[in-house]
Amino acid sequence: MVPVADPDFDVLILGAGSGGYACALRAAQLGLTVGLVEKGNVGGTCLHVGCIPTKALLHAAEVADQTRESEQFGVRASLEGIDMAGVNAYKDGVVQRLFKGLTGLIKGRGITVIEGAGRLTGPREVTVDGKAWTGRHVVLASGSSSRSLPGLEVDGERVITSEHALRLDRVPASVVVLGGGVIGCEFASVWRSFGAEVTIVEALPRLVPAEDEASSKALERAFRKRKIAFRTDTRFHSVKAGDSSVAVTVEGAGGEQSVIEADLLLVAVGRGPVTEGLGYDEQGVTMERGFVLTDDRCRTNLEGVYAVGDIVPGLQLAHRGFQQGIFVAEDIAGLDPRPIDEAGIPRVTYSHPEVASVGLSEADAATAYGADGIETVSYDLGGNGKSQILKTQGFVKLVRRKDGPVVGVHLVGDRVGELIGEAQLIYNWEGYPEDVAPLVHAHPTQNEALGEAHLALAGKPLHAHS
């Protein structure tokens, strides 16, 4: 590596979201000097306009549902309504407490926070408000923003993104959600729990199309039961926004068009990398469709320059960026960490019910190992005591290589996101069903469902019909 003459920092990080701040904290912990450039608040999308505030809304939605349905538990309660000012105060309070804790951690580690919009202006140089800062290593962590579609103009009033949705001071009477992925399904779930009429429009054949097909079908059944309407194999055509409503024209697979009217249109068609105008391409960073390309060690083509998080092709998940940030810090420090297996990153959609997974879907496993080279089993949560107490439905589905390790775990049901920890250990440690079956799972817990599924796949089902 060509040395930088008397650099300001050992590690200079552009962006203080999940990937950037994790890299900063770990690098400082390892004795490296760190500069962290951020134009907004440290914590980035996840903390301020993503994971944390949306999950706070989803918990408020769960409380609303439990109150509305309390009589089935023998509790007489009535839902008087949703106070969005109160919901937002609760949500914002959670964010602020975490933000305060994070800023304290960063200050306590001696990390230099450089406030302002940074731009890569040299091989290992970032310029912020006219001042150039240098590092022996530079980490690009500029994150992502909500995408739209060609010809679809977001006005922030009638046509909104998830960022706008988080700031709404009212519950809309009706919403069209464009996109049936994670973001779309989570907001559809929240608004339905709050009492709105919701219609999801998804261009692909099923909701949460990145998940196993069985998980998609289970979520669709649950949404039908909740009276959340959805149209799959349906594309957005146009929208006409009025003073008090929107008229959304959509097109089915056969080319037929129809109009859906609602108070709002939420555009939830994914997130794009924030890289334009940041100097990456001018400095020769290899890019594709706005994404920064890296090897499995998060290294770009420029010596000493790394990239982490949503700007790198792959799952746009906060915990992926977080782990990549830690990996890069340890790599720079010479610890030679093991590259991250992308398939081993857990995925959760926090709708009602939740959908969680790690590893390969049945279809992907069949492609990788052949249809005759895999085995699957599904354990219905109907046989799980805690799930019956919670009155949730769903399943644990396992995919294994025949006579080999478990290569995919797929879960549907309320709170199953909390089970993904054990599931990702099983996948990442290449566990066999026979390894997991003897493990003792506390009773009564939903965690037992993982144990029961592995018992079944090991050839000794108990609370399941063999």
Side-chain angles (χ1 to χ4, degrees), residues 66-397:
Q66 289 181 337
T67 305
R68 189 184 290 114
E69 300 161 5
S70 63
E71 200 165 327
Q72 66 179 317
F73 302 102
V75 178
R76 293 178 182 173
S78 60
L79 181 66
E80 294 181 10
I82 305 297
D83 171 17
M84 279 309 298
V87 170
N88 286 331
Y90 152 68
K91 164 180 64 71
D92 295 342
V94 173
V95 171
Q96 284 305 308
R97 284 191 294 277
L98 291 171
F99 174 57
K100 184 177 179 181
L102 178 59
T103 53
L105 274 175
I106 289 171
K107 184 177 180 181
R109 295 273 172 89
I111 295 164
T112 301
V113 177
I114 304 164
E115 296 181 357
R119 192 170 185 275
L120 191 67
T121 49
R124 290 192 288 284
E125 177 186 86
V126 173
T127 298
V128 183
D129 296 334
K131 179 174 171 52
W133 301 83
T134 56
R136 285 192 177 87
H137 305 84
V138 168
V139 181
L140 308 178
S142 44
S144 63
S145 62
S146 293
R147 270 186 170 146
S148 188
L149 296 174
L152 177 53
E153 185 178 343
V154 174
D155 60 20
E157 295 292 333
R158 293 290 158 191
V159 182
I160 64 173
T161 66
S162 59
E163 285 91 340
H164 301 115
L166 286 168
R167 297 194 295 267
L168 281 181
D169 59 1
R170 68 193 189 285
V171 177
S174 56
V175 189
V176 173
V177 176
L178 184 57
V182 175
I183 297 171
C185 286
E186 288 185 352
F187 273 100
S189 189
V190 165
W191 278 325
R192 185 62 190 142
S193 296
F194 285 173
E197 297 294 324
V198 181
T199 302
I200 303 171
V201 176
E202 170 56 52
L204 293 174
R206 52 192 174 90
L207 297 182
V208 288
E211 295 291 343
D212 189 88
E213 187 172 354
S215 297
S216 293
K217 287 181 178 178
L219 183 66
E220 289 175 359
R221 284 194 299 271
F223 274 16
R224 284 192 196 98
K225 191 172 180 181
R226 295 183 62 197
K227 294 184 167 52
I228 295 175
F230 56 89
R231 301 189 190 187
T232 53
D233 271 323
T234 302
R235 295 185 176 276
F236 168 82
H237 181 271
S238 61
V239 62
K240 185 176 181 181
D243 292 336
S244 59
S245 64
V246 291
V248 184
T249 302
V250 298
E251 190 173 290
E256 70 283 359
Q257 292 186 357
S258 58
V259 177
I260 311 170
E261 295 191 359
D263 286 1
L264 297 174
L265 170 63
L266 172 68
V267 181
V269 293
R271 298 182 65 83
V274 174
T275 55
E276 189 175 352
L278 297 184
Y280 299 174
D281 45 1
E282 289 96 323
Q283 295 305 317
V285 176
T286 301
M287 303 179 71
E288 185 178 280
R289 297 181 297 110
F291 288 95
V292 176
L293 301 185
T294 69
D295 63 11
D296 65 353
R297 303 195 74 79
C298 299
R299 297 176 297 199
T300 72
N301 61 303
L302 298 186
E303 194 176 14
V305 179
Y306 294 77
V308 300
D310 288 358
I311 62 172
V312 179
L315 294 167
Q316 291 180 311
L317 298 171
H319 45 282
R320 171 180 178 253
F322 186 87
Q323 197 63 33
Q324 286 177 332
I326 295 171
F327 174 92
V328 166
E330 294 182 349
D331 200 57
I332 289 170
L335 300 184
D336 194 27
R338 190 173 74 175
I340 298 164
D341 176 4
E342 292 272 325
I345 298 170
R347 309 169 291 268
V348 186
T349 302
Y350 295 88
S351 50
H352 169 41
E354 292 182 356
V355 178
S357 63
V358 65
L360 304 179
S361 67
E362 181 178 352
D364 288 341
T367 299
Y369 307 115
D372 295 333
I374 63 170
E375 294 177 278
T376 69
V377 71
S378 290
Y379 174 74
D380 196 303
L381 292 186
N384 176 255
K386 187 59 179 287
S387 295
Q388 292 309 298
I389 290 167
L390 296 172
K391 287 187 175 289
T392 188
Q393 297 177 333
F395 59 78
V396 175
K397 177 178 177 178

Side-chain angles (χ1 to χ4, degrees), residues 7-12 33-36 112 114 133-137:
D8 297 295
F9 304 102
D10 293 323
V11 186
L12 179 57
T33 58
V34 182
L36 185 59
T112 301
I114 304 164
W133 301 83
T134 56
R136 285 192 177 87
H137 305 84

Side-chain angles (χ1 to χ4, degrees), residues 388-456:
Q388 292 309 298
I389 290 167
L390 296 172
K391 287 187 175 289
T392 188
Q393 297 177 333
F395 59 78
V396 175
K397 177 178 177 178
L398 304 179
V399 183
R400 78 176 295 187
R401 293 185 66 174
K402 193 162 284 186
D403 300 321
V406 173
V407 296
V409 183
H410 306 274
L411 310 113
V412 177
D414 288 339
R415 305 188 186 181
V416 296
E418 300 300 327
L419 306 184
I420 206 66
E422 181 181 359
Q424 66 110 2
L425 289 177
I426 293 165
Y427 171 84
N428 283 293
W429 285 346
E430 300 180 355
Y432 282 53
E434 294 80 7
D435 296 330
V436 181
L439 301 178
V440 179
H441 293 80
H443 176 75
T445 63
Q446 285 186 293
N447 203 236
E448 286 180 283
L450 274 172
E452 290 277 357
H454 283 83
L455 280 166

